[in-house]
Amino acid sequence: MESAAPGMQDEQGPVFYIGQHETKRSLPVADHVLRQAQDCGYDMLTTPITTPHFHSRVLTLLSTHLSRLRPASYSSDSNAGNPSAGFQPPPPPIIPPLTPADTTLTPNNTISQLLAVASPWTDLCSPDPLIANLSRQVLSQEMAYAAFCGVGNVIVPGPKLHHRDVHGHGLTQYARAIQEALRVGSYLSIQILLPMTDHPDSDLEEGVGSLAPFAREDYVEETEGQEGRTPDVFGTWDAWNVIRTVSLSIPRQLPPMPVQNRWFAEPLRLLSLDGSTFLVNKNNYPVLSKAHQALIARYMRLRTAPWFLLADVGPIPRFENGSATSTPVSDGHLSPSMTADASNGSPHSPTAIEPAQPRRSTSRSPAEGGIKRRGKDPTPHLSYVRHLQRTQPPRSTIERFGAGYQDYLQSPLQPLTDNLESITYEVFEKDPVKYDWYERAIDGALRDWNDRQRPGSAPDGRVVLAVVGAGRGPLVNRALRASVEAGVDVDVWAVEKNPNAYVLLQRHNEILWERRVTVVKSDMRAWKGPWRASKANEGSTEGKSPISMNSHSHMSAGGSYGKVDILVSELLGSFGDNELSPECLDGVQHVLDPTHGISIPASYTAHLTPIAAPRLHSDISARIGSDPAAPETPYVVMLHAIDYLSTSPSATIPSTPQPIIKQAWEFSHPQSPTTLAQARARAAGGVSGGGGATMAGADGANEHNARAVHLRFPCPSRGACNGLAGYFETVLWGDVELSTRPDRMQGKSADMISWFPIYFPLKAPLYFPDSSELHVSIWRQTDDRKVWYEWMVEAFCLVGGGAGEGQPAQRVRAACSELHSSRKHGCLM
């Protein structure tokens, strides 16, 4: 039985929300400029919060304060022997409140369509406490005033990671400043603008008037060897992992796919496309490379897609050169020649990183970036992005089926204790792949039975086929169809405990199945098998077929219980066994022919891999107030915005990593009769069990269905593990298999939509360094009344053992999660 999922959605293209940003824009945007931008096709504009007057005032304040300091008196070194040791430096200056000259931003009806931008000339990460202090004051004042005006979103420049030879010094103080800003503007949504990767040269180009160069030499020292520092493709993500809440600047040359995957898992609010990111095709029109187009298409598949910010692609047309002209709306209807890919925009192997390029000034001529502005299209970059919106590739079957349910947490079903609604069954039945494969399995089993000339268990020699947990009857339909295709007569029984579904099954038997099926209302574990009337009662039932009965309706009649030749069920959950398929099939196995009986499915396996899923972690954390057990509950999720932490190069595309997914355990049916006999003895309190013999305090009757495994996953790049993604595979019969593993699903059961993966969360993210190994321990536990899981994750790294050291590297535990247990929300038996 699968977990509930949405039905198939009509095809509808994604909506692009596109804003315009100019890094040199110094004054807040007026209402008439915003209206003109909307006429051109933009959805929003960025606006600075403060003016150059405020910037000048802060620089003057800083210069005045620095002039009052003696060079040696404010040093961090010891003052021993210093003639100015008695000098007490003045306290850091306080920036006076904003004045009308410092900002022209005002509360109005259009404020919600503006993205406010904090001053880019501050340096919250400065190693000089004076510069860091002034930067925090600037940010605090700007956030407070933006919140007062009713601004909803504020873009804050990301942390400056390089201060000569000091790297990553002020990340904690940057994060603290952001926390203070959020307290000042509690209703603000802050977007931190970061590049995708970290390059040592990215902070060398300081903007005019930046506070960073004013850092004093006592706090910023330059040593030899700095020039040899190499790019760190995960450096920016590492910084972001300290801060959290982000908008991303897309470079002209994309970083390796592992870096892209990591950012894809993060809750991005904005994608910034600089004018220099675009290429120019043979028609002198701005376009994006194939890789960038694929990146955008991927982000637009998210349940909550990010906004776009076109940065430095030219001013709003009407006000270019101060002229007022009529501007057509950019609707994306462009000719193929205009949108043809650039010659150097074909797919290529991305480089590790591209050094940051200085932004182009918007004061350049209209041929900015080599693009000639034509009268017919004054906003070519916007038109091209609108064209991408119109030409997004169609959604796949799985995407259309799960529209709106990406990364949506659902608790697994309790099929043994709850009676499902008809709409839930209907959702399951929308998957043609699963039922096609079941029909293939039944057809193959019947043909094999016939080829081996095995006798059927029915009195007339027919093969007895029972669908246990029949629901609304989709497997009964397929069994009858397979019987016709294989040319093998069958005696079909449908067993269902849900009294409401039982009514519908009887109606189907009358109308659709023409009384060819015997419908039984019973828990499959309590069903004793097909009822066969005795010879003495055959005359009274001659010419009649008992089309429905409950588990006790025929006890008064003479006869006996027969056996089943083929037992068909669809009890599998997202982890295979998480909805008690092993327990249910063990309980009904007594009706299966002990010599030649066939179970469909014949076996199933559970599979795991560690993932980064910050969105899911945030959602689960928000539930803790109402459900303290939320972080220890396995959820059924259509995983989408995640990153596989353990990967290896793809065999077909080496630059594209493939997840390393490992098998946890397996269940096979029918079970060994000896194992089931021992379980019955334990349940009866015999010498082999009883009296709380297991660690769970149970009799041990279901101990044969307990499992445990310890798995190791190599992780080439640093990251933070938020939990485990679980999948399953099943062999229905012979070579007919179903799989939910993303690396095998296409080859075994492509486009199957019945099951979403299962997610085992961690209470707190588990951070690990490069070249680590994650160890996953997971247990399937039972106390004879319920089944639950326990899991934990450990991170190990190798220390020492370098060239010339003469000793092997030692494996050291770098981090360890708590032991998690879902016992409170276990699946009841």
Side-chain angles (χ1 to χ4, degrees):
M1 185 68 68
E2 310 89 335
S3 292
M8 196 76 69
Q9 301 293 318
D10 294 335
E11 178 66 24
Q12 183 177 359
V15 178
F16 284 34
Y17 291 96
I18 305 174
Q20 191 256 15
H21 173 58
E22 296 178 31
T23 56
K24 302 300 182 181
R25 183 179 286 145
S26 58
L27 296 175
V29 172
D31 288 351
H32 60 281
V33 178
L34 177 62
R35 288 194 297 270
Q36 179 64 15
Q38 292 172 336
D39 290 342
C40 293
Y42 286 109
D43 297 300
M44 65 201 97
L45 289 181
T46 62
T47 180
I49 301 173
T50 53
T51 64
H53 181 274
F54 178 67
H55 185 190
S56 176
R57 199 153 60 88
V58 173
L59 289 176
T60 301
L61 186 68
L62 174 61
S63 299
T64 302
H65 182 79
L66 289 175
S67 66
R68 297 172 56 193
L69 297 176
R70 298 181 184 179
S73 65
Y74 207 62
S75 172
S76 58
D77 299 331
S78 172
N79 286 322
N82 191 333
S84 60
F87 177 80
Q88 294 295 325
I94 301 298
I95 300 176
L98 296 176
T99 66
D102 294 329
T103 178
T104 58
L105 192 68
T106 57
N108 54 45
N109 295 332
T110 62
I111 199 74
S112 62
Q113 300 164 43
L114 296 175
L115 301 176
V117 181
S119 293
W121 41 265
T122 60
D123 185 8
L124 295 167
C125 285
S126 176
D128 187 335
L130 173 62
I131 303 301
N133 181 283
L134 286 176
S135 298
R136 286 196 300 272
Q137 291 186 54
V138 171
L139 181 65
S140 179
Q141 288 200 24
E142 290 184 334
M143 293 299 103
Y145 187 71
F148 167 78
C149 291
V151 170
N153 295 272
V154 178
I155 299 174
V156 178
K160 179 178 170 61
L161 299 179
H162 300 273
H163 297 82
R164 299 187 191 174
D165 203 36
V166 179
H167 174 66
H169 167 81
L171 280 176
T172 53
Q173 67 187 32
Y174 183 96
R176 176 175 172 268
I178 296 299
Q179 288 293 334
E180 289 179 350
L182 287 171
R183 284 193 290 268
V184 170
S186 57
Y187 295 101
L188 287 176
S189 178
I190 294 180
Q191 330 295 338
I192 299 171
L193 186 61
L194 292 169
M196 289 190 79
T197 52
D198 172 29
H199 194 279
D201 298 333
S202 59
D203 291 326
L204 295 182
E205 296 289 338
E206 302 290 354
V208 177
S210 172
L211 299 184
F214 288 92
R216 290 162 290 174
E217 295 294 332
D218 292 341
Y219 300 96
V220 183
E221 296 183 359
E222 186 168 352
T223 60
E224 296 182 1
Q226 176 186 358
E227 294 80 5
R229 189 184 298 151
T230 58
D232 183 0
V233 293
F234 281 96
T236 305
W237 176 86
D238 229 354
W240 152 245
N241 194 44
V242 180
I243 308 165
R244 301 247 157 223
T245 300
V246 68
S247 57
L248 197 62
S249 179
I250 307 299
R252 182 185 183 93
Q253 197 154 12
L254 292 176
M257 190 58 69
V259 181
Q260 297 183 44
N261 291 341
R262 182 64 52 82
W263 282 115
F264 181 74
E266 297 293 346
L268 299 182
R269 303 289 184 84
L270 283 170
L271 289 180
S272 177
L273 295 171
D274 193 280
S276 61
T277 304
F278 289 79
L279 306 175
V280 180
N281 64 13
K282 62 181 180 180
N283 288 296
N284 209 30
Y285 203 84
V287 295
L288 292 173
S289 70
K290 287 287 189 182
H292 286 80
Q293 295 177 44
L295 181 74
I296 289 175
R298 187 180 183 192
Y299 274 105
M300 297 315 294
R301 292 295 192 271
L302 290 170
R303 182 159 60 106
T304 303
W307 300 341
F308 290 95
L309 199 62
L310 300 183
D312 295 333
V313 295
I316 304 302
R318 181 175 181 179
F319 300 96
E320 185 176 349
N321 300 325
S323 62
T325 59
S326 176
T327 304
V329 176
S330 299
D331 55 9
H333 290 275
L334 301 176
S335 65
S337 62
M338 298 291 284
T339 60
D341 294 325
S343 58
N344 61 338
S346 57
H348 60 277
S349 299
T351 60
I353 190 171
E354 179 185 45
Q357 300 294 327
R359 295 183 181 273
R360 303 177 187 271
S361 170
T362 54
S363 62
R364 293 180 59 183
S365 66
E368 175 184 342
I371 299 168
K372 297 179 180 178
R373 293 192 177 272
R374 306 184 180 191
K376 294 182 180 179
D377 191 356
T379 56
H381 300 81
L382 174 61
S383 298
Y384 179 77
V385 177
R386 289 295 184 197
H387 162 75
L388 293 183
Q389 175 182 350
R390 291 186 56 255
T391 57
Q392 283 296 289
R395 295 180 182 269
S396 66
T397 301
I398 295 177
E399 288 174 332
R400 286 185 284 117
F401 179 81
Y405 275 72
Q406 297 168 341
D407 301 315
Y408 179 80
L409 299 168
Q410 303 178 74
S411 297
L413 300 175
Q414 294 273 8
L416 296 186
T417 56
D418 299 334
N419 290 322
L420 304 181
E421 302 295 335
S422 179
I423 186 62
T424 305
Y425 289 117
E426 182 178 348
V427 170
F428 302 154
E429 294 166 13
K430 289 182 181 294
D431 186 352
V433 175
K434 179 183 70 173
Y435 292 109
D436 286 346
W437 262 236
Y438 262 97
E439 183 178 335
R440 283 178 51 198
I442 297 171
D443 179 274
L446 289 174
R447 292 178 187 273
D448 182 72
W449 191 284
N450 193 52
D451 292 344
R452 295 175 184 269
Q453 298 182 348
R454 291 171 176 166
S457 296
D460 57 4
R462 288 182 296 165
V463 176
V464 180
L465 186 149
V467 178
V468 290
R472 303 199 315 175
L475 283 181
V476 177
N477 288 329
R478 297 302 183 127
L480 293 173
R481 187 184 303 176
S483 170
V484 175
E485 292 295 326
V488 179
D489 289 338
V490 291
D491 178 20
V492 180
W493 292 67
V495 182
E496 175 56 50
K497 72 174 183 63
N498 187 337
N500 306 308
Y502 175 63
V503 175
L504 186 60
L505 288 173
Q506 294 177 80
R507 181 170 290 113
H508 285 341
N509 200 20
E510 289 284 355
I511 301 174
L512 300 178
W513 304 328
E514 298 176 344
R515 301 168 63 92
R516 291 178 293 166
V517 179
T518 304
V519 182
V520 181
K521 182 194 173 301
S522 174
D523 186 313
M524 69 181 72
R525 296 168 295 179
W527 185 45
K528 296 183 179 180
W531 175 254
R532 305 301 181 188
S534 64
K535 293 286 185 179
N537 293 324
E538 281 185 357
S540 61
T541 60
E542 186 175 355
K544 299 178 182 179
S545 174
I547 62 170
S548 63
M549 59 181 68
N550 59 47
S551 57
H552 305 290
S553 62
H554 50 275
M555 295 299 291
S556 59
S560 61
Y561 296 102
K563 292 295 183 180
V564 172
D565 299 315
I566 301 177
L567 195 67
V568 184
S569 63
E570 51 174 331
L571 306 170
L572 300 176
S574 294
F575 203 44
D577 56 80
N578 62 297
E579 294 182 5
L580 305 190
S581 178
E583 286 72 20
C584 292
L585 293 182
D586 284 354
V588 74
Q589 185 173 316
H590 63 275
V591 308
L592 190 63
D593 180 86
T595 305
H596 304 297
I598 296 173
S599 173
I600 299 177
S603 65
Y604 38 92
T605 51
H607 304 255
L608 287 169
T609 190
I611 62 172
R615 295 170 186 261
L616 298 181
H617 176 75
S618 177
D619 290 348
I620 293 173
S621 298
R623 300 185 179 199
I624 295 178
S626 57
D627 182 10
E632 297 184 278
T633 301
Y635 295 93
V636 173
V637 192
M638 184 182 180
L639 297 175
H640 192 65
I642 65 167
D643 182 27
Y644 295 106
L645 299 175
S646 180
T647 60
S648 61
S650 169
T652 55
I653 309 176
S655 61
T656 302
Q658 290 295 313
I660 297 175
I661 305 174
K662 295 189 176 183
Q663 179 177 320
W665 49 65
E666 181 178 12
F667 290 91
S668 299
H669 301 283
Q671 183 66 265
S672 165
T674 303
T675 300
L676 294 182
Q678 186 181 47
R680 287 191 294 270
R682 288 177 174 178
V687 294
S688 61
T694 68
M695 292 181 64
D699 295 333
N702 195 40
E703 194 69 14
H704 63 286
N705 284 324
R707 295 288 188 274
V709 71
H710 182 83
L711 302 172
R712 298 183 178 186
F713 294 90
C715 299
S717 304
R718 77 200 79 163
C721 179
N722 298 112
L724 307 172
Y727 309 93
F728 81 91
E729 292 188 325
T730 178
V731 177
L732 296 178
W733 181 88
D735 61 351
V736 183
E737 299 182 49
L738 300 175
S739 177
T740 64
R741 283 183 49 154
D743 58 337
R744 296 179 181 174
M745 184 176 176
Q746 190 66 26
K748 293 188 176 183
S749 49
D751 295 330
M752 186 176 66
I753 55 180
S754 285
W755 291 276
F756 292 160
I758 198 168
Y759 175 63
F760 296 93
L762 296 183
K763 292 181 179 179
L766 187 78
Y767 181 83
F768 55 89
D770 290 330
S771 302
S772 297
E773 190 174 64
L774 292 184
H775 290 211
V776 174
S777 300
I778 187 168
W779 298 262
R780 187 182 196 264
Q781 299 280 61
T782 176
D783 62 0
D784 300 341
R785 291 179 295 275
K786 65 168 65 172
V787 170
W788 70 95
Y789 298 94
E790 296 178 0
W791 63 96
M792 69 181 299
V793 180
E794 302 166 276
F796 291 87
C797 58
L798 294 179
V799 177
E805 295 187 14
Q807 294 185 358
Q810 293 184 342
R811 188 167 58 88
V812 177
R813 180 183 286 104
C816 181
S817 75
E818 295 183 31
L819 176 64
H820 298 69
S821 175
S822 64
R823 186 166 188 167
K824 182 176 181 180
H825 292 311
C827 202
L828 299 174
M829 297 169 58

